[in-house]
Amino acid sequence: MRIAIIGYGKMGKEIELYATQNAHTISYIIDFENVNEVEKINSSNTDVAIEFTNPLSAVKNILTCFENKVPIVCGTTGWYSELDNVKNFCSKHNGTLFYSSNFSIGVYIYTEIAKYASKILNELSGYNVKIEETHHTQKLDSPSGTAISLANNILPFLQKYKDWKKPDNCDNNYLPISSKRIDDTTGIHALIFESNADIIEIKHTAKNRKNFAKGAILAAETFYNKKGIFTMSDLYNTIV
Ligand SMILES: NC(=O)c1ccc[n+]([C@@H]2O[C@H](COP(=O)([O-])OP(=O)(O)OC[C@H]3O[C@@H](n4cnc5c(N)ncnc54)[C@H](O)[C@@H]3O)[C@@H](O)[C@H]2O)c1
Protein backbone atom coordinates (compact mmCIF):
# COMPACT_ATOMS: atom_id res chain seq x y z
CA MET A 1 0.00 0.00 0.00
CA ARG A 2 0.99 3.65 -0.49
CA ILE A 3 0.60 5.15 2.99
CA ALA A 4 0.43 8.87 3.87
CA ILE A 5 1.59 9.50 7.43
CA ILE A 6 -0.17 12.49 9.04
CA GLY A 7 1.65 13.43 12.26
CA TYR A 8 5.36 12.56 12.39
CA GLY A 9 5.86 12.31 16.14
CA LYS A 10 6.45 9.22 18.26
CA MET A 11 3.70 7.17 16.58
CA GLY A 12 4.22 8.56 13.04
CA LYS A 13 7.87 7.43 13.16
CA GLU A 14 6.85 4.02 14.48
CA ILE A 15 4.32 3.69 11.63
CA GLU A 16 6.99 4.59 9.04
CA LEU A 17 9.35 1.95 10.44
CA TYR A 18 6.79 -0.85 10.61
CA ALA A 19 5.25 0.02 7.21
CA THR A 20 8.58 0.05 5.33
CA GLN A 21 9.67 -3.18 7.05
CA ASN A 22 6.48 -4.75 5.69
CA ALA A 23 6.80 -3.77 2.01
CA HIS A 24 4.58 -0.67 2.09
CA THR A 25 5.69 2.67 0.66
CA ILE A 26 5.24 6.11 2.18
CA SER A 27 3.55 8.65 -0.13
CA TYR A 28 3.57 11.64 2.23
CA ILE A 29 4.85 12.54 5.66
CA ILE A 30 2.91 15.51 7.07
CA ASP A 31 3.82 17.45 10.20
CA PHE A 32 3.66 21.11 11.30
CA GLU A 33 6.25 22.40 8.82
CA ASN A 34 4.28 21.12 5.75
CA VAL A 35 0.79 20.96 7.25
CA ASN A 36 -0.87 22.38 4.08
CA GLU A 37 0.37 19.44 2.01
CA VAL A 38 -2.37 17.32 3.60
CA GLU A 39 -4.59 18.74 0.82
CA LYS A 40 -2.36 17.05 -1.78
CA ILE A 41 -3.08 13.55 -0.46
CA ASN A 42 -5.59 11.97 -2.84
CA SER A 43 -6.65 8.59 -4.18
CA SER A 44 -4.27 8.76 -7.18
CA ASN A 45 -1.14 9.01 -4.98
CA THR A 46 -2.20 7.28 -1.73
CA ASP A 47 -4.10 4.12 -0.75
CA VAL A 48 -4.57 5.01 2.91
CA ALA A 49 -3.66 7.78 5.38
CA ILE A 50 -2.61 6.97 8.94
CA GLU A 51 -3.20 9.81 11.38
CA PHE A 52 -1.54 10.25 14.80
CA THR A 53 -1.54 14.00 15.61
CA ASN A 54 -3.38 15.65 18.48
CA PRO A 55 -7.01 16.09 19.60
CA LEU A 56 -7.30 19.56 17.97
CA SER A 57 -6.05 18.48 14.52
CA ALA A 58 -7.53 15.02 14.07
CA VAL A 59 -11.09 15.88 12.98
CA LYS A 60 -9.93 18.36 10.30
CA ASN A 61 -7.51 15.74 8.92
CA ILE A 62 -10.23 13.08 8.87
CA LEU A 63 -12.65 15.39 7.00
CA THR A 64 -9.94 16.37 4.48
CA CYS A 65 -9.28 12.69 3.74
CA PHE A 66 -13.03 12.04 3.24
CA GLU A 67 -13.21 14.99 0.80
CA ASN A 68 -10.15 13.73 -1.10
CA LYS A 69 -11.48 10.13 -1.23
CA VAL A 70 -8.63 8.74 0.86
CA PRO A 71 -9.41 6.04 3.47
CA ILE A 72 -8.06 7.05 6.87
CA VAL A 73 -6.91 5.14 9.96
CA CYS A 74 -6.93 7.46 12.97
CA GLY A 75 -5.17 6.66 16.26
CA THR A 76 -5.40 10.14 17.76
CA THR A 77 -7.40 10.23 21.00
CA GLY A 78 -9.38 13.01 22.69
CA TRP A 79 -11.68 14.04 19.78
CA TYR A 80 -14.58 11.58 20.22
CA SER A 81 -17.10 14.26 21.25
CA GLU A 82 -17.06 15.02 17.48
CA LEU A 83 -17.72 11.40 16.49
CA ASP A 84 -21.36 11.93 15.44
CA ASN A 85 -20.35 14.78 13.08
CA VAL A 86 -17.55 12.66 11.67
CA LYS A 87 -19.96 9.74 11.11
CA ASN A 88 -22.38 12.02 9.21
CA PHE A 89 -19.56 13.40 7.08
CA CYS A 90 -18.28 9.89 6.41
CA SER A 91 -21.63 8.70 5.08
CA LYS A 92 -22.12 11.92 3.05
CA HIS A 93 -18.75 11.36 1.32
CA ASN A 94 -19.00 7.54 1.22
CA GLY A 95 -15.70 7.53 3.09
CA THR A 96 -13.66 5.02 5.07
CA LEU A 97 -12.55 5.56 8.67
CA PHE A 98 -10.95 3.10 11.05
CA TYR A 99 -10.49 4.64 14.50
CA SER A 100 -9.43 3.33 17.88
CA SER A 101 -8.06 4.78 21.09
CA ASN A 102 -5.76 1.76 21.23
CA PHE A 103 -4.53 -0.36 18.30
CA SER A 104 -3.05 -3.09 20.48
CA ILE A 105 -4.86 -6.42 20.08
CA GLY A 106 -3.69 -7.14 23.66
CA VAL A 107 -5.74 -4.16 24.91
CA TYR A 108 -8.77 -5.39 22.98
CA ILE A 109 -8.48 -8.79 24.72
CA TYR A 110 -7.81 -7.03 28.06
CA THR A 111 -11.08 -5.10 27.63
CA GLU A 112 -12.99 -8.32 26.95
CA ILE A 113 -11.51 -9.84 30.16
CA ALA A 114 -12.46 -6.63 32.05
CA LYS A 115 -16.06 -6.88 30.78
CA TYR A 116 -16.28 -10.50 31.96
CA ALA A 117 -14.78 -9.65 35.40
CA SER A 118 -17.20 -6.71 35.77
CA LYS A 119 -20.16 -8.89 34.90
CA ILE A 120 -19.38 -11.53 37.54
CA LEU A 121 -18.16 -9.14 40.27
CA ASN A 122 -21.25 -6.96 39.84
CA GLU A 123 -23.25 -9.83 41.40
CA LEU A 124 -21.17 -9.44 44.61
CA SER A 125 -22.10 -6.17 46.31
CA GLY A 126 -18.92 -5.68 48.39
CA TYR A 127 -16.58 -4.49 45.64
CA ASN A 128 -15.74 -0.90 44.74
CA VAL A 129 -14.25 -0.41 41.28
CA LYS A 130 -11.71 2.09 39.94
CA ILE A 131 -9.49 2.59 36.89
CA GLU A 132 -5.93 3.94 37.09
CA GLU A 133 -3.94 4.93 34.00
CA THR A 134 -0.31 6.06 33.67
CA HIS A 135 1.31 7.62 30.56
CA HIS A 136 4.34 9.70 29.54
CA THR A 137 4.40 13.40 30.45
CA GLN A 138 3.82 14.69 26.87
CA LYS A 139 0.37 13.12 26.66
CA LEU A 140 -2.17 15.92 26.07
CA ASP A 141 -5.48 14.27 27.00
CA SER A 142 -6.46 12.96 30.41
CA PRO A 143 -7.86 10.46 31.22
CA SER A 144 -6.45 8.47 28.29
CA GLY A 145 -8.78 7.48 25.46
CA THR A 146 -8.11 3.85 26.37
CA ALA A 147 -9.21 4.40 30.01
CA ILE A 148 -12.41 6.14 28.87
CA SER A 149 -13.11 3.36 26.37
CA LEU A 150 -12.46 0.74 29.11
CA ALA A 151 -14.90 2.54 31.42
CA ASN A 152 -17.57 2.79 28.72
CA ASN A 153 -17.18 -0.92 27.98
CA ILE A 154 -17.57 -2.07 31.61
CA LEU A 155 -20.16 0.45 32.88
CA PRO A 156 -23.14 -1.45 31.38
CA PHE A 157 -22.15 -4.38 33.67
CA LEU A 158 -21.65 -2.31 36.85
CA GLN A 159 -25.10 -1.38 38.14
CA LYS A 160 -23.89 0.78 41.05
CA TYR A 161 -22.20 3.36 38.78
CA LYS A 162 -24.05 5.93 36.64
CA ASP A 163 -20.97 6.98 34.63
CA TRP A 164 -17.22 7.60 35.10
CA LYS A 165 -15.58 10.73 36.56
CA LYS A 166 -12.14 12.05 37.48
CA PRO A 167 -11.56 11.31 41.22
CA ASP A 168 -11.55 14.96 42.40
CA ASN A 169 -15.31 15.40 41.76
CA CYS A 170 -16.39 11.78 42.11
CA ASP A 171 -18.89 10.34 44.60
CA ASN A 172 -19.88 6.70 45.17
CA ASN A 173 -22.27 6.76 42.22
CA TYR A 174 -19.44 7.24 39.71
CA LEU A 175 -16.57 5.02 38.57
CA PRO A 176 -13.33 6.98 39.25
CA ILE A 177 -10.56 7.17 36.62
CA SER A 178 -7.28 8.56 37.95
CA SER A 179 -4.34 9.59 35.74
CA LYS A 180 -0.61 9.76 36.44
CA ARG A 181 2.03 11.22 34.09
CA ILE A 182 5.55 9.76 34.42
CA ASP A 183 8.47 10.13 31.94
CA ASP A 184 9.08 7.24 29.52
CA THR A 185 5.85 5.36 30.32
CA THR A 186 4.19 4.09 27.12
CA GLY A 187 0.85 3.19 28.73
CA ILE A 188 -0.40 1.31 31.80
CA HIS A 189 -4.08 0.63 32.55
CA ALA A 190 -5.29 -1.04 35.74
CA LEU A 191 -8.85 -2.02 36.62
CA ILE A 192 -9.15 -2.53 40.36
CA PHE A 193 -11.95 -4.24 42.32
CA GLU A 194 -11.58 -3.74 46.08
CA SER A 195 -13.58 -5.20 48.98
CA ASN A 196 -12.89 -5.28 52.73
CA ALA A 197 -11.25 -8.67 52.23
CA ASP A 198 -9.21 -8.42 49.03
CA ILE A 199 -8.10 -6.53 45.92
CA ILE A 200 -8.45 -7.93 42.40
CA GLU A 201 -6.35 -6.02 39.90
CA ILE A 202 -6.42 -6.54 36.11
CA LYS A 203 -3.59 -4.69 34.43
CA HIS A 204 -2.25 -4.05 30.92
CA THR A 205 1.23 -2.61 30.39
CA ALA A 206 2.39 -1.57 26.90
CA LYS A 207 6.14 -2.32 26.71
CA ASN A 208 6.67 -0.16 23.60
CA ARG A 209 4.80 1.46 20.65
CA LYS A 210 5.45 -1.33 18.12
CA ASN A 211 2.14 -3.07 18.86
CA PHE A 212 0.19 0.15 18.17
CA ALA A 213 1.93 0.55 14.79
CA LYS A 214 1.37 -3.12 13.94
CA GLY A 215 -2.36 -2.82 14.76
CA ALA A 216 -2.74 0.41 12.77
CA ILE A 217 -1.07 -1.12 9.67
CA LEU A 218 -3.16 -4.29 10.01
CA ALA A 219 -6.30 -2.12 10.24
CA ALA A 220 -5.19 -0.21 7.11
CA GLU A 221 -4.49 -3.43 5.18
CA THR A 222 -7.83 -4.97 6.19
CA PHE A 223 -10.19 -2.00 5.73
CA TYR A 224 -8.69 0.47 3.21
CA ASN A 225 -10.82 -0.94 0.37
CA LYS A 226 -14.07 -1.05 2.38
CA LYS A 227 -16.58 1.77 2.98
CA GLY A 228 -17.87 2.95 6.36
CA ILE A 229 -16.63 3.29 9.92
CA PHE A 230 -14.72 0.49 11.62
CA THR A 231 -12.99 -0.12 14.94
CA MET A 232 -11.11 -2.81 16.87
CA SER A 233 -14.04 -5.24 17.28
CA ASP A 234 -14.30 -5.34 13.44
CA LEU A 235 -10.56 -6.01 13.15
CA TYR A 236 -10.60 -8.64 15.89
CA ASN A 237 -13.47 -10.47 14.15
CA THR A 238 -11.40 -10.73 10.96
CA ILE A 239 -8.40 -12.35 12.69
CA VAL A 240 -10.00 -14.96 15.00
N1 LIG B 1 -4.60 4.53 19.14
C1 LIG B 1 -3.43 4.13 19.65
O1 LIG B 1 -3.11 2.93 19.70
C2 LIG B 1 -2.47 5.18 20.14
C3 LIG B 1 -1.17 4.83 20.55
C4 LIG B 1 -0.29 5.86 20.92
C5 LIG B 1 -0.72 7.18 20.89
N2 LIG B 1 -2.01 7.46 20.52
C6 LIG B 1 -2.48 8.84 20.38
O2 LIG B 1 -1.98 9.32 19.13
C7 LIG B 1 -1.74 10.73 19.20
C8 LIG B 1 -0.28 11.02 18.83
O3 LIG B 1 0.58 10.38 19.72
P1 LIG B 1 2.17 10.56 19.62
O4 LIG B 1 2.70 9.86 20.82
O5 LIG B 1 2.67 10.18 18.27
O6 LIG B 1 2.28 12.14 19.82
P2 LIG B 1 3.49 13.11 19.39
O7 LIG B 1 3.25 14.39 20.11
O8 LIG B 1 4.80 12.42 19.56
O9 LIG B 1 3.27 13.33 17.82
C9 LIG B 1 2.22 14.08 17.27
C10 LIG B 1 2.76 14.77 16.02
O10 LIG B 1 1.69 15.35 15.31
C11 LIG B 1 2.13 16.59 14.77
N3 LIG B 1 0.96 17.40 14.43
C12 LIG B 1 0.14 18.11 15.24
N4 LIG B 1 -0.85 18.69 14.50
C13 LIG B 1 -0.64 18.32 13.23
C14 LIG B 1 -1.34 18.55 12.01
N5 LIG B 1 -2.43 19.32 11.96
N6 LIG B 1 -0.87 17.97 10.88
C15 LIG B 1 0.22 17.18 10.90
N7 LIG B 1 0.93 16.92 12.03
C16 LIG B 1 0.48 17.49 13.17
C17 LIG B 1 3.03 17.17 15.88
O11 LIG B 1 3.91 18.17 15.37
C18 LIG B 1 3.76 15.91 16.34
O12 LIG B 1 4.96 15.69 15.61
C19 LIG B 1 -2.15 11.13 20.63
O13 LIG B 1 -3.50 11.56 20.61
C20 LIG B 1 -2.02 9.84 21.41
O14 LIG B 1 -2.87 9.80 22.55
C21 LIG B 1 -2.87 6.50 20.16
Side-chain angles (χ1 to χ4, degrees):
M1 292 184 302
R2 297 163 301 168
I3 298 174
I5 294 174
I6 309 178
Y8 196 50
K10 291 182 282 302
M11 277 309 303
K13 292 184 175 101
E14 203 72 41
I15 294 288
E16 179 187 33
L17 183 67
Y18 193 83
T20 50
Q21 284 170 347
N22 287 276
H24 299 300
T25 55
I26 306 301
S27 59
Y28 282 89
I29 293 179
I30 311 289
D31 207 280
F32 266 132
E33 47 283 3
N34 64 339
V35 75
N36 293 332
E37 284 193 35
V38 77
E39 302 287 345
K40 294 187 188 166
I41 302 171
N42 63 48
S43 55
S44 62
N45 55 42
T46 296
D47 297 308
V48 63
I50 301 187
E51 210 270 8
F52 281 87
T53 61
N54 66 41
L56 297 175
S57 306
V59 172
K60 185 168 179 291
N61 288 329
I62 292 169
L63 301 187
T64 302
C65 284
F66 289 161
E67 281 169 347
N68 292 350
K69 308 271 175 244
V70 177
I72 175 163
V73 171
C74 179
T76 303
T77 54
W79 58 269
Y80 296 157
S81 58
E82 296 289 320
L83 190 56
D84 284 345
N85 289 339
V86 168
K87 283 181 177 171
N88 288 339
F89 215 73
C90 183
S91 74
K92 187 174 155 202
H93 285 269
N94 197 22
T96 304
L97 169 66
F98 189 105
Y99 75 97
S100 173
S101 57
N102 199 306
F103 281 105
S104 156
I105 293 289
V107 163
Y108 180 79
I109 293 164
Y110 171 74
T111 305
E112 293 302 300
I113 294 167
K115 280 159 67 176
Y116 179 68
S118 301
K119 193 173 170 184
I120 51 176
L121 286 164
N122 182 58
E123 310 288 325
L124 307 170
S125 58
Y127 284 92
N128 290 321
V129 190
K130 62 183 174 184
I131 293 173
E132 293 176 352
E133 60 98 350
T134 309
H135 282 83
H136 53 87
T137 47
Q138 298 97 50
K139 186 162 178 62
L140 295 180
D141 50 325
S142 159
S144 68
T146 303
I148 295 171
S149 163
L150 176 63
N152 289 336
N153 271 288
I154 62 174
L155 277 166
F157 301 105
L158 298 171
Q159 280 161 353
K160 68 195 254 187
Y161 299 111
K162 289 182 192 161
D163 205 341
W164 67 267
K165 275 190 178 180
K166 293 186 181 189
D168 40 3
N169 62 349
C170 194
D171 62 38
N172 289 341
N173 295 317
Y174 292 87
L175 170 68
I177 307 181
S178 60
S179 303
K180 278 188 207 151
R181 297 291 172 257
I182 298 175
D183 276 343
D184 294 330
T185 307
T186 305
I188 302 171
H189 292 89
L191 172 64
I192 298 158
F193 298 87
E194 181 163 3
S195 73
N196 289 335
D198 58 5
I199 297 173
I200 303 170
E201 183 170 333
I202 307 171
K203 187 170 170 183
H204 180 275
T205 303
K207 291 167 98 174
N208 52 52
R209 293 182 176 81
K210 189 174 172 187
N211 240 2
F212 304 138
K214 191 175 169 186
I217 301 279
L218 183 61
E221 290 168 343
T222 311
F223 291 95
Y224 82 100
N225 58 1
K226 298 184 170 56
K227 296 291 178 193
I229 300 209
F230 306 96
T231 190
M232 287 306 277
S233 52
D234 303 300
L235 182 60
Y236 185 74
N237 289 335
T238 67
I239 60 176
V240 289

